[in-house]
C-alpha cells in the first residue's frame, strides 16, 4: 500500500479510498500512514491537527451485502500523534472492507463520520 502524507480525502492506487467527512470537524485531515505488512493485515490512519474534540471512535465494518461484521468502539485520549488501525484484506484476496468511522463526544453523540474502503487489488 502506498502512503500519502497529505491530509484530506484520498484514493491511494485503487485499494484505499477515504471519503468526504460529514462535518469536517474531526476527519477533514485524516490520512493513511501505511500498512503493517505488505501482505495486508492492518492499515494505520492518522487524524492530523487533532484538537481533542472527541473522546472515542466507533468503527463499523460492513460486507458488500450490507451485513455488519464488526462494531468496535475505540476509547482514549486522542492526541496529535495518535493513530488507529483498520483491518485489511490479506493477500491474495478479492475482499473489499468498508468502514464507517464515527468520532463520538463524551455522551456518545456523533461529531463527525467518514467512510473508508480498503480492497486488495
Amino acid at each position: 500500500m502506498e502512503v500519502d502524507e497529505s491530509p484530506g480525502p484520498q484514493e491511494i492506487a485503487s485499494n484505499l479510498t477515504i471519503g468526504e467527512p460529514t462535518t469536517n470537524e474531526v476527519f477533514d485531515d485524516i490520512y493513511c500512514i501505511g500498512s503493517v505488512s505488505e501482505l495486508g493485515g492492518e492499515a494505520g490512519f492518522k487524524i492530523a491537527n487533532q484538537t481533542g474534540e472527541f473522546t472515542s471512535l466507533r468503527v463499523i465494518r460492513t460486507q458488500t451485502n450490507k451485513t455488519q461484521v464488526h462494531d468496535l468502539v475505540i476509547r482514549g485520549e486522542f492526541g496529535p500523534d495518535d493513530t488507529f488501525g483498520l483491518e485489511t484484506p490479506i493477500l491474495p484476496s478479492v475482499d473489499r472492507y468498508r468502514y464507517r468511522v464515527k468520532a463520538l463526544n463524551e455522551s456518545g453523540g456523533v461529531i463527525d463520520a467518514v467512510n473508508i474502503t480498503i480492497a486488495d487489488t
Side-chain angles (χ1 to χ4, degrees):
M1 176 180 296
E2 297 174 31
V3 179
D4 181 353
E5 293 291 338
S6 62
Q10 59 181 290
E11 182 174 334
I12 301 175
S14 59
N15 63 346
L16 172 71
T17 303
I18 299 174
E20 290 286 340
T22 55
T23 67
N24 284 322
E25 289 186 38
V26 176
F27 298 121
D28 64 331
D29 52 9
I30 185 174
Y31 60 97
C32 181
I33 58 173
S35 61
V36 172
S37 78
E38 60 185 48
L39 296 178
E42 184 175 276
F45 293 85
K46 186 168 183 171
I47 305 168
N49 304 319
Q50 183 44 246
T51 61
E53 298 171 350
F54 65 99
T55 58
S56 60
L57 293 176
R58 181 174 184 196
V59 179
I60 301 169
R61 189 177 107 199
T62 56
Q63 294 176 325
T64 304
N65 63 2
K66 308 285 186 197
T67 301
Q68 184 172 306
V69 178
H70 296 288
D71 187 349
L72 171 69
V73 176
I74 304 168
R75 299 188 193 287
E77 300 291 324
F78 288 91
D81 295 323
D82 290 338
T83 62
F84 68 95
L86 297 178
E87 185 180 351
T88 65
I90 303 290
L91 293 173
S93 174
V94 294
D95 293 330
R96 182 176 299 272
Y97 292 3
R98 292 180 174 87
Y99 292 94
R100 178 75 168 170
V101 182
K102 300 177 180 180
L104 308 176
N105 62 20
E106 293 176 357
S107 62
V110 177
I111 300 170
D112 199 2
V114 67
N115 292 324
I116 298 174
T117 302
I118 305 172
D120 170 23
T121 57

